[in-house]
Structure formats: structure tokens, C-alpha cells
Amino acid sequence: MAGVSADVIVVGLGAMGAATLLALARRGVSALGIDRFHPPHDQGSSHGETRITRLAVGEGAAYAPLVARSHELWRGLEAETGEELLLQCGGLVMGRRGIATGHHGKPAFVERTIEVARQCAIPHEVLEADELGRRYPQMRLEGDEFASYEPSAGLVFPERCIAAQLELAGRLGARMQLGTVVRSVARDGDGVCLTTDHGLLRAGRVVLTAGAWTSGLVPALAPVTSVRRQVLHWFPVADPASYAPERFPIFIWMHGPREGDYFYGFPCLDGQASLKVATEQAEEETTADGVDRQVAAKESSAFHARHVAPRLAGVLAARERAAACLYTVTPDGGFIVDDVPGVPGAIVASPCSGHGFKHSAGLGEALAARVSGAAVGLEAFRLGRFGA
Ligand SMILES: Cc1cc2nc3c(=O)[nH]c(=O)nc-3n(C[C@H](O)[C@H](O)[C@H](O)COP(=O)(O)OP(=O)(O)OC[C@H]3O[C@@H](n4cnc5c(N)ncnc54)[C@H](O)[C@@H]3O)c2cc1C
């Protein structure tokens, strides 16, 4: 194909695109990455310092190889760059006996987590409330809680991962065009043509990893994806040492029967005196360009009163800071990774619904293999499952 800008163009260099660009560069593929902003940034789905990672993914065993591979890749990247990217401080997935609680669209999430841990031989312990209370006196329990504790769970630093991946991709020969908006994607002979606000680009293959903006480029995704504003809160703690990663794990806590009776959180990180906590909301839709990025103080105080004050000791109500972030959600809470209908040579990857970061390095590697012609088993994420 004459006049191509690169063999492969990656559109969107957030979690998914940065991982894909690095994996392409490692394979020696001539690759160009494009982003409308300058990643890592705080306009999409990959900001806020930390993301939970766990190998026993109650979202389904189909995801387990991706997160396991991601951990290996991040450890390798740490060795190459000297950056700390993955902190395995342990993780609790908690619910209450006798109260049906789902998460990420999956019912009985604690039980499913335990099932995946058993199926995939992931070391874990099932803890009852008395043991939880002994280990974590910071938690105020009702007495009927139970949890799956996974020592290999923990957190990833999203901005650091994206920066490290892009930096290394550049060193390995990938090119990047930042501050460029891709407006449309179309078939172009046996390749793909992109219209951008800086002119036309052509490539043999294109990978679309545009996060919350994806349906604007792939209309087939519009009926099966929607964007939701989510809020992250940081609250000061009276005794940061009691919430340090050595004493306090990441947690996902489903504490009641109502929709939204759920929150998750992280330990206090090095040098910080605040705890990051959040819940998820599925009711209100928004758009990537129209979302309200300000977080009102009353949003944080309502969150603290409902979730934090009754359950975590010594976490103060006056927030330190807050941030808004975007989920791109599918009806079954699963990812979409598939060929773009009507544009041969283009692949779309929308791995969000609130649980995509932990899989991004492994999925990026799989996408790079797929555009390079390898048979890669990503059938669980086909668009066709929605009848589209
Ligand atoms: C509040 C919150 C909490 C989360 N918690 C977790 C968690 O604990 N664990 C977990 O595993 N996952 C979690 N997730 C999900 C995870 O963060 C996402 O799945 C992941 O970040 C999605 O990455 P992405 O690459 O699809 O999108 P993004 O990182 O947003 O990247 C998309 C990129 O595309 C660029 N772009 C968009 N349109 C265009 C265009 N037209 N032209 C050029 N560039 C374009 C954007 O600028 C952006 O850089 C959470 C998400 C949120 C919002």
C-alpha cells in the first residue's frame, strides 16, 4: 500500500493504546500512536493514581490469563524502567452472608471470585467476619461479612504505567502524534484511512483504543456502549500508619442489598495521609465531551456518610480532593475487542466497564499479536454477542 504513515496506527494512547503501541514496538512493527491529548492525562478513564488488580477475577475466568500476563509485563517494565508500577499489597473481595450482592454485572461476586481462584489455582483464603475483624481492626463490621483474600492482589499506578509504556515504545522506534483528533475511520483499498484535524493518515492496520470516545469512531458500538461519570474521593486519615499497605489491603466491599451498597478502596500510599475510596454509579449517562468534571463537596460528604463513616475507623469527613473519571459500559459488563464492521483492517478494543486497567498490558500484547497476523483467542469479547 503506497503512501502509508505507518504499518499500524493506534488511535488513543490511554491504558489500552499505550500497551498496544509498546507491544507493537517490541515486535519491530512500524507503528504510529495518535492521541487527542498528551497522555497520561486526566480527561479519559485512566487517571486517579491507582487501579485495583486481582488475579481471581470474579468477572469471569476468560479474563484470568490477561491479568496474569499483565502482572508479568508490568514486573518486566519495572525492571526496564526503574519505575514502581505494581504494588501487591493483597486484596479483599467482601460481601455479607445471606445478602445477594453483584458487582460489574455479575451476581454473587464473592462466590464467583472464590470459584475463579479455585479454577485457576490462585492462592487465596476465605475469611469470616471474626477473622476479618482480627486482621483489620480498621474495619467496622456487622458480623456476617465474609471475604476472599488474595495475597497477589493489589494496585497498579495507571499514569506511571502509561508514561512508562509510551516512553519505552518511543525508544523502541514507535512514533507518536499527540494533540491530534481522529475524526473518522474508513476503508482505503486494502488498508485504512484516518481523517484527523491535522490531515489524512493511512495505514495497513488500525487499532482503535479511544476509550469513552470510541463509539464516535465506530458507530456499531453506539447501541451497546454508554459512558458513565464516576467519582474518586480522597479522605484524610487520623493515623496513616494504620492504613499503610503492610497493614491494609485494597478492598471491594458489598455491604448491603441495595443497588449502590458498595464501595472500594486503597491503602494510604507512601508519603500520603489520605485514603482513596469510590463507588460506581450506573444510573446516569454522560458523554466524554459533555461530562461534568467538577466534583461538588456535597458529593464527597454524601459518599463519606453512606459508605465510609459506618465502616472505616479514623477516616475523616472533610475530603482532601476528588476527581471525576469515565466508565465506558456494555450491557453485560464485558469488554469489546473485535474487527470494526465495514472497515477491514481495523480492530476496536474497548476494555472498560470499570475493570479494564488490570488487563491492559496483557490485552495490548494480544492485540499487537493479532494485528501482526497471529491467531489470538479473544472470542469472549466479540461484538456479535450483543446481536450487533
Ligand atoms: C473511576 C474509575 C475507576 C476504575 N477502577 C478500576 C480498577 O480498580 N481496576 C481496573 O482494572 N480498572 C478500573 N477502571 C477501568 C480502567 O481504568 C479502564 O478500563 C481503562 O483505563 C480504559 O482504558 P482505555 O485505554 O480504554 O481508555 P483511556 O485510557 O481513556 O484512553 C483513551 C484515549 O483515547 C484518546 N482519544 C479518544 N478519542 C480520540 C480521538 N478521536 N483521536 C485521538 N485520540 C483519542 C483519549 O485522549 C485517551 O487518551 C476504572 C475506571 C474508572 C474511570
Side-chain angles (χ1 to χ4, degrees):
M1 193 185 167
V4 294
S5 314
D7 290 344
V8 181
I9 294 182
V10 179
V11 179
L13 299 176
M16 202 53 252
T20 307
L21 192 71
L22 174 57
L24 287 166
R26 286 196 195 281
R27 296 178 80 95
V29 174
S30 144
L32 170 65
I34 302 179
D35 203 284
R36 65 197 307 146
F37 301 118
H38 289 73
H41 60 72
D42 62 1
Q43 303 294 298
S45 304
S46 301
H47 56 282
E49 292 181 358
T50 48
R51 291 289 184 269
I52 288 177
T53 184
R54 47 201 154 80
L55 296 179
V57 273
E59 289 85 357
Y63 295 92
L66 290 174
V67 61
R69 181 64 184 144
S70 296
H71 281 202
E72 289 173 3
L73 290 169
W74 283 316
R75 287 296 184 220
L77 197 53
E78 283 179 330
E80 284 175 286
T81 61
E83 280 285 336
E84 185 191 20
L85 304 176
L86 169 65
L87 175 62
Q88 289 172 288
C89 55
L92 288 171
V93 177
M94 284 172 64
R96 292 176 60 191
R97 294 256 181 228
I99 296 182
T101 41
H103 179 50
H104 288 160
K106 306 292 181 219
F109 197 77
V110 184
E111 291 87 341
R112 289 176 66 98
T113 298
I114 295 166
E115 182 53 36
V116 172
R118 287 186 181 140
Q119 221 177 312
C120 303
I122 296 159
H124 68 288
E125 292 174 81
V126 179
L127 304 178
E128 300 296 332
D130 53 349
E131 182 58 22
L132 285 164
R134 261 193 298 279
R135 290 194 196 184
Y136 307 111
Q138 309 90 329
M139 291 181 159
R140 296 180 169 138
L141 303 170
E142 300 285 335
D144 56 1
E145 287 82 0
F146 74 119
S148 174
Y149 173 73
E150 182 194 315
S152 49
L155 59 97
V156 205
F157 296 96
E159 291 94 339
R160 287 188 209 167
C161 289
I162 291 170
Q165 286 164 329
L166 293 181
E167 210 268 320
L168 188 55
R171 274 200 271 141
L172 293 173
R175 287 172 295 129
M176 277 163 255
Q177 194 171 316
L178 307 180
T180 296
V181 181
V182 174
R183 303 277 184 216
S184 64
V185 184
R187 181 180 197 153
D188 179 28
D190 57 355
V192 183
C193 173
L194 303 177
T195 309
T196 82
D197 58 352
H198 288 80
L200 290 181
L201 294 170
R202 301 173 75 222
R205 310 289 311 266
V206 164
V207 182
L208 298 169
T209 48
W213 288 265
T214 303
S215 64
L217 296 173
V218 185
L221 260 61
V224 292
T225 57
S226 57
V227 177
R228 309 286 154 89
R229 173 180 180 269
Q230 309 294 346
V231 176
L232 303 165
H233 313 266
W234 285 259
F235 293 104
V237 290
D239 174 20
S242 67
Y243 282 101
E246 305 75 49
R247 290 168 65 183
F248 192 72
I250 63 95
F251 67 87
I252 293 174
W253 193 339
M254 292 151 280
H255 54 70
R258 290 175 305 162
E259 187 72 28
D261 281 345
Y262 150 84
F263 76 132
Y264 64 91
F266 298 81
C268 271
L269 298 175
D270 242 10
Q272 296 193 2
S274 62
L275 201 71
K276 182 180 129 183
V277 278
T279 186
E280 295 181 330
Q281 70 85 20
E283 294 80 41
E284 284 174 41
E285 282 190 37
T286 184
T287 60
D289 293 319
V291 64
D292 180 2
R293 295 183 183 278
Q294 303 304 312
V295 180
K298 65 177 185 210
E299 291 183 77
S300 298
S301 48
F303 175 88
H304 188 278
R306 177 172 177 187
H307 300 286
V308 182
R311 286 173 198 91
L312 293 176
V315 181
L316 312 179
R319 78 174 186 203
E320 184 203 78
R321 63 201 150 107
C325 194
L326 298 169
Y327 275 12
T328 305
V329 186
T330 60
D332 63 3
F335 297 170
I336 293 172
V337 182
D338 209 342
D339 297 328
V340 175
V343 190
I347 295 179
V348 62
S350 178
C352 191
S353 290
H355 60 110
F357 202 94
K358 66 180 75 59
H359 305 290
S360 57
L363 193 50
E365 187 181 62
L367 281 178
R370 181 160 162 173
V371 292
S372 306
V376 178
L378 296 169
E379 286 74 22
F381 311 129
R382 300 287 301 265
L383 192 49
R385 73 185 188 276
F386 301 115

